[in-house]
């Protein structure tokens, strides 16, 4: 056997020990820490097996039965199976809905939707990023167009009420009447309440706009039927598959089929979304789909049809609400006053802590979260809050009583950050320097991190046992 064949069949720990050591370090970080970034989760062993399968090797531009390359007989079957399961999971009639499972991730999926139905410089409206929206919903500032969606399209944000933190649907309706968008986006990346899809639909209809729901964060909760579904009222729905859905890093786009409306002459107006969206994905924005990821989606969808998955999603929400209650009892302000979903947005202004300092101190004690804007913030680079989520912790088996311990760790970390700030002053660079150099604080951080590590290790990670 040639040396080349031998090298192709080596394990990565033999062929590239330097890289494998880094992979093991990341596995150790995940095992020893508490993953509370709301958009992250731990996927299953079957999904990981699909991702590392021979399906990775095949090019398959086009749709099933319409490929540009040969040799796709079984790839077609896998993609059709994935489409079938996607419609079944969300209880959709194939005569009324179709789905494209080829998008590489959520951001490309959303850009494909805009490319399909909004002409260049056409108008879109999405929840503003500082108010809990997503970059791909048209984010821009007064001085710069940040997202490609604001470069290629004309975007106007809608906002939350700065006092309640809740979406101001009345203001959205007024703005839409003036702006006349082609597309209204109902979707979030940091908003802890269920969306009023019926009201979104009414506003869209008043302005002849499409309603596009981005359920990336909550798709697992929707699949389990424990929060309202966007499908009843939406024309298009997109989702990532790796957040609450707990699949691989990929995305799907669902689109309406059949009759859209009846005009004044009594004639039926039929949706023309299917070809437009399919062609926007390929050849518009992508090349060959990632067949290993599509297989991973398919098996994740199968898992999501089980009673165990519904129980998991119910626990995700219960844990988020327990987290919210615990933080409020510690004196922290939670935006909107609570949560209906998997995340909690904590406003730290009244506690005298910045989001960046909170994120840093929690990372140092092995709790991963992210700094986040809260209503009224002027800068996304210097926000006043942190976003905390429970999907990943719930996957590892944490229940309400365990969340109480997590709240204790968070509170102790945040209180420690206030002590450090008194020494460091207001600048983040000085805060980090004091954390790194002050022996007293080093000891306190190390002690707290050891407690978090010991607690975290009692909960297993799904996936391959060794890496």
């Amino acid at each position: 056997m040639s040396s080349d064949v031998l090298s192709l069949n080596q394990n990565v720990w033999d062929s590239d020990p330097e890289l494998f050591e880094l992979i093991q370090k990341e596995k150790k970080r995940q095992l020893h820490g508490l993953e509370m970034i709301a958009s992250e989760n731990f996927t299953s062993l079957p999904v990981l097996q699909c991702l590392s399968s021979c399906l990775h090797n095949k090019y398959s531009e086009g749709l099933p039965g319409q490929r540009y390359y040969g040799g796709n007989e079984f790839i077609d079957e896998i993609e059709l199976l994935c489409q079938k399961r996607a419609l079944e999971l969300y209880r959709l009639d194939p005569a009324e809905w179709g789905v494209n499972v080829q998008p590489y991730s959520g951001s490309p999926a959303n850009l494909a939707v805009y490319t399909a139905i909004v002409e260049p410089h056409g108008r879109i409206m999405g929840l503003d990023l500082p108010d809990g929206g997503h970059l791909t919903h048209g984010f821009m500032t007064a001085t710069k167009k940040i997202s490609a969606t604001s470069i290629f399209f004309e975007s106007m944000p809608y906002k939350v009420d700065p006092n309640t933190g809740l979406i101001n649907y009345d203001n959205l309706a007024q703005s839409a009447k003036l702006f006349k968008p082609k597309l209204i986006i109902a979707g979030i990346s940091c908003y802890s309440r269920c969306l009023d899809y019926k009201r979104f639909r009414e506003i869209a209809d008043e302005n002849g706009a499409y309603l596009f729901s981005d359920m990336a964060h909550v798709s697992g909760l929707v699949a389990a039927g424990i929060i309202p579904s966007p499908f009843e009222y939406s024309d298009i729905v997109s989702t990532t598959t790796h957040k609450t859905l707990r699949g691989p890093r990929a995305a799907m786009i669902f689109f309406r089929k059949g009759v859209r409306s009846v005009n004044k002459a009594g004639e039926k107006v039929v949706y023309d979304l299917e070809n437009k969206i399919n062609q926007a994905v390929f050849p518009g924005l992508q090349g060959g789909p990632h067949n290993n990821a599509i297989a991973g989606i398919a098996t994740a969808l199968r898992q999501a049809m089980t009673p165990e998955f519904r129980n998991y999603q119910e626990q995700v929400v219960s844990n988020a609400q327990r987290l919210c209650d615990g933080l409020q009892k510690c004196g922290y302000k939670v935006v909107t006053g609570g949560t209906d979903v998997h995340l909690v947005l904590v406003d730290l202004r009244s506690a005298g802590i910045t989001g960046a300092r909170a994120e840093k101190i929690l990372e140092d004690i092995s709790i991963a979260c992210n700094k986040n804007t809260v209503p009224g913030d002027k800068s996304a680079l210097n926000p006043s809050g942190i976003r905390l989520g429970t999907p990943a912790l719930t996957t590892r088996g944490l229940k309400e009583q365990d969340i109480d311990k997590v709240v204790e760790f968070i509170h102790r970390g945040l209180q420690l950050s206030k002590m450090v700030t008194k020494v460091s002053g207001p600048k983040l660079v000085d805060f980090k320097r004091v954390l790194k150099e002050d022996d007293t604080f080093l000891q306190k951080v190390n002690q707290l991190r050891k407690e978090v590590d010991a607690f975290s290790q009692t909960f297993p990670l799904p996936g391959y046992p060794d890496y």
Side-chain angles (χ1 to χ4, degrees):
M1 188 178 292
S2 71
S3 59
D4 180 57
V5 173
L6 285 172
S7 67
L8 289 175
N9 287 285
Q10 277 187 306
N11 291 309
V12 66
W13 46 85
D14 294 321
S15 67
D16 196 342
E18 179 184 13
L19 175 61
F20 184 65
E21 181 182 2
L22 293 172
I23 295 173
Q24 286 185 305
K25 286 180 177 179
E26 171 58 17
K27 180 66 176 285
K28 182 179 179 181
R29 185 198 68 81
Q30 293 182 16
L31 179 63
H32 288 222
L34 298 174
E35 184 55 73
M36 301 193 71
I37 294 174
S39 53
E40 294 190 10
N41 211 333
F42 299 107
T43 196
S44 66
L45 179 58
V47 168
L48 293 176
Q49 289 169 334
C50 290
L51 292 175
S52 60
S53 70
C54 65
L55 301 177
H56 168 273
N57 302 331
K58 190 72 190 88
Y59 255 116
S60 55
E61 283 104 325
L63 294 168
Q66 306 170 40
R67 306 291 188 181
Y68 283 78
Y69 290 129
N72 279 296
E73 174 187 355
F74 302 111
I75 297 297
D76 281 2
E77 290 189 33
I78 289 169
E79 186 165 337
L80 290 170
L81 177 64
C82 186
Q83 292 173 345
K84 177 175 177 288
R85 288 178 177 176
L87 297 177
E88 287 177 358
L89 176 62
Y90 292 103
R91 302 165 287 278
L92 303 177
D93 184 345
E96 298 178 354
W97 285 91
V99 60
N100 189 304
V101 298
Q102 294 187 6
Y104 298 149
S105 195
S107 295
N110 288 355
L111 186 58
V113 171
Y114 308 141
T115 301
I117 64 172
V118 184
E119 71 281 358
H121 298 291
R123 296 180 175 186
I124 63 176
M125 292 186 72
L127 182 61
D128 207 5
L129 180 75
D131 292 50
H134 191 261
L135 275 170
T136 61
H137 299 167
F139 180 56
M140 58 186 291
T141 69
T143 58
K144 187 176 182 181
K145 294 187 173 183
I146 306 295
S147 170
T149 51
S150 63
I151 295 173
F152 302 135
F153 309 100
E154 304 303 322
S155 64
M156 173 182 278
Y158 56 90
K159 308 285 286 183
V160 300
D161 184 304
N163 296 316
T164 65
L166 299 172
I167 291 172
N168 193 322
Y169 291 97
D170 291 339
N171 282 0
L172 165 59
Q174 291 177 358
S175 296
K177 285 182 180 179
L178 294 172
F179 190 61
K180 294 297 179 185
K182 180 74 174 287
L183 184 78
I184 295 175
I185 305 149
I188 59 93
S189 69
C190 190
Y191 184 76
S192 63
R193 297 299 186 178
C194 294
L195 299 180
D196 186 346
Y197 295 111
K198 184 174 184 291
R199 186 70 195 280
F200 274 114
R201 176 77 267 167
E202 292 168 352
I203 296 170
D205 287 345
E206 288 170 1
N207 296 280
Y210 286 104
L211 178 59
F212 167 40
S213 294
D214 178 354
M215 65 170 187
H217 261 271
V218 297
S219 58
L221 306 177
V222 172
I226 63 173
I227 66 169
S229 169
F231 287 98
E232 180 180 357
Y233 297 105
S234 304
D235 300 300
I236 303 165
V237 177
S238 74
T239 182
T240 53
T241 54
H242 56 273
K243 297 185 176 77
T244 50
L245 197 56
R246 207 162 58 179
R249 289 188 172 271
M252 301 185 288
I253 305 171
F254 298 84
F255 44 82
R256 285 269 189 183
K257 299 162 67 174
V259 177
R260 183 185 182 191
S261 62
V262 178
N263 64 22
K264 293 180 179 179
E267 300 167 329
K268 294 179 179 179
V269 179
V270 179
Y271 279 106
D272 61 348
L273 299 173
E274 182 169 9
N275 287 337
K276 289 181 177 180
I277 287 175
N278 286 339
Q279 290 175 19
V281 174
F282 172 82
L285 295 173
Q286 296 183 182
H290 297 170
N291 298 302
N292 54 338
I294 291 172
I297 298 171
T299 201
L301 294 171
R302 189 173 191 270
Q303 293 167 5
M305 296 180 195
T306 63
E308 292 79 10
F309 186 80
R310 179 184 171 88
N311 294 340
Y312 162 70
Q313 297 295 344
E314 289 176 339
Q315 190 65 55
V316 166
V317 175
S318 294
N319 283 350
Q321 291 173 342
R322 186 66 162 253
L323 175 69
C324 177
D325 291 343
L327 290 169
Q328 287 174 317
K329 288 176 182 176
C330 290
Y332 300 104
K333 179 182 177 182
V334 172
V335 176
T336 77
T339 183
D340 301 322
V341 290
H342 63 296
L343 64 83
V344 175
L345 177 57
V346 186
D347 184 343
L348 296 171
R349 287 176 294 192
S350 61
I353 307 168
T354 68
R357 289 192 186 93
E359 179 189 71
K360 172 59 179 171
I361 195 77
L362 293 178
E363 182 176 26
D364 282 1
I365 63 169
S366 298
I367 299 177
C369 70
N370 62 278
K371 59 182 178 291
N372 212 96
T373 53
V374 297
D377 268 344
K378 303 300 182 185
S379 171
L381 298 176
N382 186 30
S384 302
I386 52 172
R387 182 184 69 164
L388 300 164
T390 56
L393 295 187
T394 309
T395 291
R396 295 184 67 183
L398 276 76
K399 301 291 176 60
E400 287 88 348
Q401 65 272 19
D402 306 308
I403 296 298
D404 293 340
K405 189 66 177 178
V406 173
V407 169
E408 177 195 329
F409 289 139
I410 292 170
H411 180 52
R412 289 167 61 189
L414 295 179
Q415 292 302 109
L416 183 54
S417 76
K418 293 177 71 172
M419 296 168 59
V420 176
T421 300
K422 288 181 180 179
V423 175
S424 70
K427 292 185 177 179
L428 180 61
V429 63
D430 294 328
F431 179 85
K432 291 181 177 179
R433 178 183 52 77
V434 170
L435 265 179
K436 187 176 181 180
E437 297 176 358
D438 188 291
D439 287 339
T440 300
F441 292 131
L442 278 173
Q443 290 177 9
K444 290 180 181 294
V445 167
N446 288 338
Q447 176 57 40
L448 188 47
R449 182 173 62 247
K450 287 178 182 178
E451 292 182 42
V452 173
D453 289 357
F455 173 78
S456 183
Q457 288 181 68
T458 63
F459 300 96
L461 287 177
Y464 294 107
D466 298 325
Y467 65 98

